[in-house]
Amino acid sequence: MSNIRLLFDKFTLTLIVVIAIATLLPAHGSGAVLFEWLTTLAIALLFFMHGAKLSRNAIIAGAMHWRLHALVFACTFIMFPILGWVLRPVLLPLLGGPLYMGVLYLCALPGTVQSAIAFTSIARGNIPAAVCSASASSLIGIVVTPLLVSWLIGGGGQSGSTLHAIVHISVELLLPFVAGHLMRPWIGAWVHRNKTWLKMVDQGSILLVVYTAFSASVIGGLWKTVPPMALLVLVLVCCVLLALALAATTQLARRLGFNKEDEITIVFCGSKKSLATGVPMAQVLFASSMVGPMLLPLMVFHQIQLMVCAVLAQKYQQRAPSGEDALQEPA
């Protein structure tokens, strides 16, 4: 557990440094064009590797648990957007327009893959179901997230631009993912042997995208529209949003009769939002000057969810063993 927290802390600190560099030395002109090309390649590599890591056996094993997946998807793509929309009278005056739109974008995103599975494993939850549910959430989000953004935010609310965004996101994210998965028989063993190095590739890709996005936003006047007090309020809003999500997923899992292992999977898959998917999607869905404020709530929420879920996973892990804890690791 201490190693996982240390990794998250390092990545968070690096993320802050990258934002500071983008603030002081933003990419512009031909440099910005170069970073945009590098970002596109990095995102394609990121999702190619995700596809190569995904086990078909884990998909088949987890896909049978349709009630669990239905609840996770409902929490991710229905509960979260409704929360963001219902809280508008409170959040809009507190955060202002740009950050509130960022919160709505956060609510429309799919769940995480790697950390949801990792925390489920630590907490002794249903790992095959977590692999299937988290992976499917990312794929479904390629279509559902642009539609939710169109409904919640209205930017690009016309059907043509929404369809264009879905096609663009599919080309950038889905095609590399499918290609990686099809290549799994040949490169799967290599990917598994080098997963530590590939984690650095994952994080490096996200950092590159964040630098490129924040450079454009800083040039567009990001820090003039987002004062320091608004950032503090944003942290509190993200804490409340996560608390509501964790409480809702836990209570729904218990009231619907899921066992403890399934409850763990529902909590960790249904309450989290993906930075790896949200960053590249934002570049497609929003103008360059808007990407920074749209991503700020996601980056804040992402770090809070990692810290809180690390503690929660440890609490679940300390419970008394049960007969259903002998879960098979995904192949």
Side-chain angles (χ1 to χ4, degrees):
M1 179 60 65
S2 60
N3 290 335
I4 292 176
R5 287 183 181 176
L6 181 61
L7 175 63
F8 292 154
D9 288 343
K10 286 182 177 179
F11 182 65
T12 303
L13 291 174
T14 307
L15 195 62
I16 294 171
V17 170
V18 168
I19 294 173
I21 293 173
T23 300
L24 299 174
L25 298 171
H28 54 83
S30 58
V33 174
L34 173 62
F35 272 102
E36 286 176 5
W37 278 102
L38 289 175
T39 295
T40 300
L41 293 175
I43 291 168
L45 177 62
L46 174 67
F47 279 83
F48 179 85
M49 291 303 176
H50 280 318
K53 286 186 288 187
L54 181 62
S55 165
R56 201 162 300 175
N57 290 337
I59 296 176
I60 295 172
M64 306 304 293
H65 209 339
W66 66 268
R67 287 180 67 243
L68 181 149
H69 303 316
L71 180 55
V72 169
F73 299 153
C75 291
T76 302
F77 297 114
I78 298 176
M79 180 191 75
F80 262 102
I82 289 176
L83 272 176
W85 182 69
V86 167
L87 292 174
R88 175 188 173 94
V90 177
L91 298 185
L92 185 57
L94 285 175
L95 297 175
L99 286 184
Y100 173 65
M101 286 195 295
V103 171
L104 290 178
Y105 176 59
L106 159 70
C107 291
L109 284 170
T112 61
V113 178
Q114 292 159 309
S115 60
I117 297 169
F119 285 131
T120 300
S121 176
I122 292 168
R124 295 187 286 123
N126 188 335
I127 300 171
V131 171
C132 181
S133 192
S135 302
S137 176
S138 289
L139 297 178
I140 291 171
I142 290 174
V143 174
V144 173
T145 294
L147 295 174
L148 288 173
V149 168
S150 178
W151 172 60
L152 290 169
I153 299 176
Q158 301 173 355
S159 58
S161 59
T162 302
L163 179 61
H164 172 74
I166 293 172
V167 172
H168 195 156
I169 291 169
S170 297
V171 170
E172 282 200 6
L173 308 186
L174 183 59
L175 287 184
F177 183 93
V178 172
H181 190 62
L182 293 177
M183 291 289 291
R184 179 178 168 80
W186 296 276
I187 67 173
W190 179 85
V191 168
H192 181 73
R193 288 195 306 270
N194 294 276
K195 57 185 179 181
T196 302
W197 177 77
L198 292 174
K199 183 175 290 185
M200 296 175 61
V201 174
D202 284 358
Q203 294 180 348
S205 301
I206 294 172
L207 294 173
L208 181 60
V209 175
V210 168
Y211 173 75
T212 304
F214 268 81
S215 291
S217 297
V218 167
I219 292 173
L222 169 65
W223 300 120
K224 295 179 182 177
T225 59
V226 182
M229 185 55 65
L231 290 177
L232 178 59
V233 174
L234 177 62
V235 172
L236 297 176
V237 167
C238 288
C239 288
V240 171
L241 193 61
L242 179 61
L244 291 173
L246 289 172
T249 50
T250 302
Q251 290 303 313
L252 285 171
R254 292 175 181 176
R255 290 180 180 276
L256 292 175
F258 288 96
N259 62 32
K260 184 61 68 175
E261 288 72 30
D262 289 344
E263 174 192 319
I264 290 168
T265 302
I266 291 165
V267 168
F268 288 127
C269 292
S271 66
K272 298 167 70 61
K273 293 293 182 176
S274 174
L275 183 68
T277 303
V279 171
M281 274 192 178
Q283 289 197 305
V284 176
L285 294 172
F286 308 110
S288 297
S289 60
M290 289 181 60
V291 172
M294 299 305 292
L295 289 180
L296 267 178
L298 173 59
M299 289 191 292
V300 172
F301 186 88
H302 177 78
Q303 179 55 27
I304 293 171
Q305 74 183 6
L306 292 179
M307 293 188 296
V308 171
C309 289
V311 175
L312 189 58
Q314 192 173 35
K315 284 192 64 177
Y316 274 124
Q317 185 188 50
Q318 293 169 351
R319 75 187 189 279
S322 69
E324 296 184 41
D325 280 334
L327 295 170
Q328 185 177 1
E329 290 288 338

